[in-house]
Amino acid sequence: MTDLNTLKYSEEHEWVAADGATVTIGITDFAADALGDIVFVELPEVGTDLTRGDVFGEAESTKSVSELYSPVTGKVVEINDAVVDDPALVNSSPFEDAWLIKVEIAEGELDGLLDRDGYVAITEG
């Protein structure tokens, strides 16, 4: 199980796990629960340049479609084909199996993201 306290979070409900200059990005359990049963996930291609705050894909559920916002600026180096093939993973395993993309970032890109306490505070309010 992922230690949720080691992750960073965006106010748009994405989580970020850092591993050197590469980060892994997914959507939180809060977002997955709010969306309901996810039936489709669209992700960018490897090599795509992302800018913090810009849309990088979408998640479609039986209730609605939600845009996915990049919490960092960088280049997509890997996508999770498993979640594209089986979008329900986002509901069943948002912090482990359902990571969405891996992005190569510059130093300082995690500045300004929330820690777990900060994210919990905005989702409980």
Side-chain angles (χ1 to χ4, degrees):
M1 169 102 186
T2 301
D3 180 355
L4 303 183
N5 291 312
T6 64
L7 303 176
K8 296 290 187 180
Y9 301 86
S10 72
E11 292 184 15
E12 290 77 25
H13 310 291
E14 282 81 23
W15 57 261
V16 179
D19 183 15
T22 302
V23 297
T24 302
I25 299 171
I27 64 171
T28 65
D29 53 347
F30 179 87
D33 289 344
L35 281 168
D37 294 332
I38 301 196
V39 296
F40 177 77
V41 174
E42 180 180 280
L43 299 175
E45 293 183 17
V46 169
T48 300
D49 289 320
L50 301 179
T51 301
R52 182 187 294 236
D54 284 355
V55 173
F56 72 84
E58 66 181 36
E60 183 177 334
S61 72
T62 54
K63 291 195 233 180
S64 66
V65 175
S66 181
E67 293 180 324
L68 304 170
Y69 296 91
S70 182
V72 295
T73 296
K75 182 180 292 286
V76 177
V77 294
E78 187 176 347
I79 65 166
N80 186 352
D81 289 321
V83 82
V84 173
D85 294 339
D86 184 9
L89 286 172
V90 175
N91 298 107
S92 64
S93 185
F95 294 105
E96 286 88 22
D97 299 326
W99 62 271
L100 301 175
I101 58 175
K102 294 189 181 195
V103 178
E104 189 175 279
I105 61 169
E107 189 173 326
E109 273 302 310
L110 300 180
D111 296 348
L113 293 176
L114 302 167
D115 62 12
R116 183 68 183 169
D117 290 339
Y119 181 70
V120 168
I122 68 163
T123 57
E124 289 181 347

